[in-house]
Amino acid sequence: MLIHLNTFFLLLCLPSLTLSYDERPRTGHSRFWRRASQKVAAEGFANPKESGGSFLTQVENTTPPGQSEPVNMIISANSDADVLKDQEDGGGLRNYWLSLLFAGECLGQHSGDSQKVDLGDGHGALNETAVIRYNYNDSQLGTCKESIEGGNHFRYWVQNGPTMNTGAIFMAASYEMPISQQHGIVANGYNLGRDYIVGNITGSVIPTANLTNQSSYSGETSFGGFKYRTTVKYLSGLLQNTSIGINHNDSVPTGDMNAIDGLVALLEVKISERPKNDATALFLNPPRRAWQIPVLFVAFIISLACF
Ligand SMILES: *[C@@H]1O[C@H](CO)[C@@H](O)[C@H](O)[C@H]1NC(C)=O
Ligand SMILES: *[C@@H]1O[C@H](CO)[C@@H](O)[C@H](O)[C@H]1NC(C)=O
Ligand SMILES: *[C@@H]1O[C@H](CO)[C@@H](O)[C@H](O)[C@H]1NC(C)=O
Ligand SMILES: *[C@@H]1O[C@H](CO)[C@@H](O)[C@H](O)[C@H]1NC(C)=O
Ligand SMILES: *[C@@H]1O[C@H](CO)[C@@H](O)[C@H](O)[C@H]1NC(C)=O
Ligand SMILES: *[C@@H]1O[C@H](CO)[C@@H](O)[C@H](O)[C@H]1NC(C)=O
Ligand SMILES: *[C@@H]1O[C@H](CO)[C@@H](O)[C@H](O)[C@H]1NC(C)=O
């Protein structure tokens, strides 16, 4: 009887033994299933263009009608799972953006028309999830300043549709003019908006005019006790290097650059440090292994009954 129970025990413990040797127990499992079913590219997103989507947004009321803005940044699905959660707690996406000095809109308001994009994930063209603005390092009212004085901002969408659920975050960044100028886009404002964010990650100026599909960067940022390590790779072939059909293309192109240079910055974000007492994280994101607690508890009761 005892021997049998021990074997039973050992079998019960096997899953926890294998899990504890998994380097990334919290993400590995679900990621595996995601990969297997959704064929996520090694880069950590699925190319919308391969399933009827686009890297160009649909904008209302443009002159001429039908102009688009570029989706020029992606947060890879290979980032830490906590970073891909759209929340501030537990080191989530909103906290990551705060580490780059970006936050939700001024006093929760939403100014301007929404833009739509089809990420090829089965959702069709959807309005942006939200607009996120540079907060001038003032997490209270900084985004109000951006709304009025202009500056950097981005819209974002999550690739989480029924046919392609990678969890990657797609961002359309641009540097806008003050509200007094109807929030046009400054000269080179799509490329610069993207590269200022990368510059905020690395802490050094990104040479926009000299970027190629070989350019890569990395940097560390922090907020709320979380430290993030971001690696950035510029990809070509997803957007065209062009001014044609791009919103505000009367003012955005410069002598040596098209309105969009055709590069998309792909960000992979890892949490490199967590607050010492990350109670919220533990509370909101119970460790994956928590399911084993009841199992082990039952095993414990059985063993008590036995001895
Ligand atoms: C999308 O945004 C437009 C304008 O910004 C709005 O009129 C429309 O109701 C929104 N659609 C949805 C489904 O929220
Ligand atoms: C933002 O402000 C804090 C102080 O409030 C300062 O420690 C930090 O260096 C500033 N960050 C940047 C990027 O300027
Ligand atoms: C950080 O972002 C701000 C606002 O977009 C920009 O003015 C600044 O140049 C950026 N820093 C770097 C090093 O790119
Ligand atoms: C871009 O490259 C050119 C030629 O190699 C160089 O003169 C220029 O300083 C570079 N610009 C930046 C912003 O690094
Ligand atoms: C974009 O095209 C221009 C010529 O129109 C070229 O000078 C530039 O190198 C191209 N940029 C990239 C990133 O391919
Ligand atoms: C980089 O761009 C060149 C054309 O400018 C292209 O031939 C090459 O395939 C691209 N490489 C990658 C890795 O996308
Ligand atoms: C802007 O895009 C339109 C197409 O919508 C095109 O006709 C026009 O030539 C473009 N302007 C520039 C400066 O490329």
Side-chain angles (χ1 to χ4, degrees):
M1 182 60 188
L2 256 184
I3 291 165
H4 280 159
L5 255 184
N6 280 341
T7 316
F8 173 66
F9 244 128
L10 197 63
L11 285 175
L12 271 182
C13 291
L14 269 180
S16 73
L17 287 175
T18 48
L19 263 183
S20 49
Y21 285 102
D22 185 342
E23 256 187 55
R24 300 170 57 195
R26 304 219 20 225
T27 55
H29 206 220
S30 59
R31 191 64 47 71
F32 171 80
W33 290 111
R34 244 192 226 156
R35 282 256 174 72
S37 61
Q38 309 286 2
K39 297 199 188 71
V40 178
E43 275 110 353
F45 66 95
N47 183 349
K49 296 201 292 185
E50 285 169 11
S51 41
S54 176
F55 276 87
L56 293 170
T57 68
Q58 300 165 22
V59 192
E60 289 172 16
N61 308 318
T62 62
T63 331
Q67 304 287 87
S68 294
E69 300 199 355
V71 173
N72 51 12
M73 307 186 86
I74 302 171
I75 299 181
S76 159
N78 293 334
S79 301
D80 279 345
D82 282 351
V83 177
L84 298 170
K85 288 186 192 146
D86 195 342
Q87 60 184 38
E88 193 173 326
D89 293 313
L93 191 59
R94 298 293 179 128
N95 193 70
Y96 173 63
W97 283 334
L98 279 164
S99 83
L100 310 180
L101 308 186
F102 278 81
E105 292 210 81
C106 168
L107 306 174
Q109 293 192 316
H110 180 46
S111 51
D113 285 340
S114 294
Q115 297 186 17
K116 289 182 161 52
V117 81
D118 181 350
L119 295 179
D121 61 359
H123 270 149
L126 283 190
N127 281 349
E128 72 235 5
T129 308
V131 179
I132 307 292
R133 298 178 186 276
Y134 187 64
N135 71 11
Y136 292 91
N137 205 5
D138 169 0
S139 56
Q140 299 308 306
L141 291 172
T143 59
C144 299
K145 178 172 169 182
E146 198 283 346
S147 261
I148 294 162
E149 294 181 17
N152 211 0
H153 75 326
F154 61 85
R155 302 160 193 280
Y156 75 97
W157 297 260
V158 186
Q159 190 172 49
N160 61 359
T163 57
M164 198 59 83
N165 186 4
T166 68
I169 316 291
F170 288 65
M171 298 157 55
S174 57
Y175 199 98
E176 63 180 353
M177 293 172 179
I179 199 164
S180 55
Q181 293 169 261
Q182 284 79 45
H183 278 166
I185 303 297
V186 305
N188 208 13
Y190 297 109
N191 301 319
L192 286 177
R194 174 196 63 203
D195 295 341
Y196 285 155
I197 295 175
V198 177
N200 289 162
I201 291 168
T202 64
S204 57
V205 175
I206 303 300
T208 300
N210 290 352
L211 292 173
T212 69
N213 60 12
Q214 307 297 309
S215 302
S216 65
Y217 296 92
S218 67
E220 210 157 44
T221 55
S222 55
F223 193 83
F226 287 86
K227 218 178 226 175
Y228 301 93
R229 175 138 201 95
T230 307
T231 52
V232 184
K233 246 171 57 179
Y234 282 87
L235 307 178
S236 63
L238 301 170
L239 280 167
Q240 275 184 283
N241 177 359
T242 188
S243 296
I244 298 184
I246 302 303
N247 204 15
H248 306 293
N249 70 3
D250 52 342
S251 62
V252 174
T254 62
D256 56 351
M257 290 202 69
N258 285 323
I260 63 172
D261 62 7
L263 296 173
V264 174
L266 176 66
L267 279 50
E268 191 174 301
V269 187
K270 304 283 181 182
I271 295 178
S272 54
E273 213 176 287
R274 289 171 181 273
K276 294 224 161 42
N277 316 310
D278 186 13
T280 48
L282 205 68
F283 178 69
L284 287 165
N285 316 301
R288 275 177 53 84
R289 266 172 257 173
W291 65 267
Q292 293 169 33
I293 293 169
V295 174
L296 290 176
F297 181 72
V298 169
F300 178 68
I301 296 296
I302 292 173
S303 74
L304 276 188
C306 188
F307 290 111

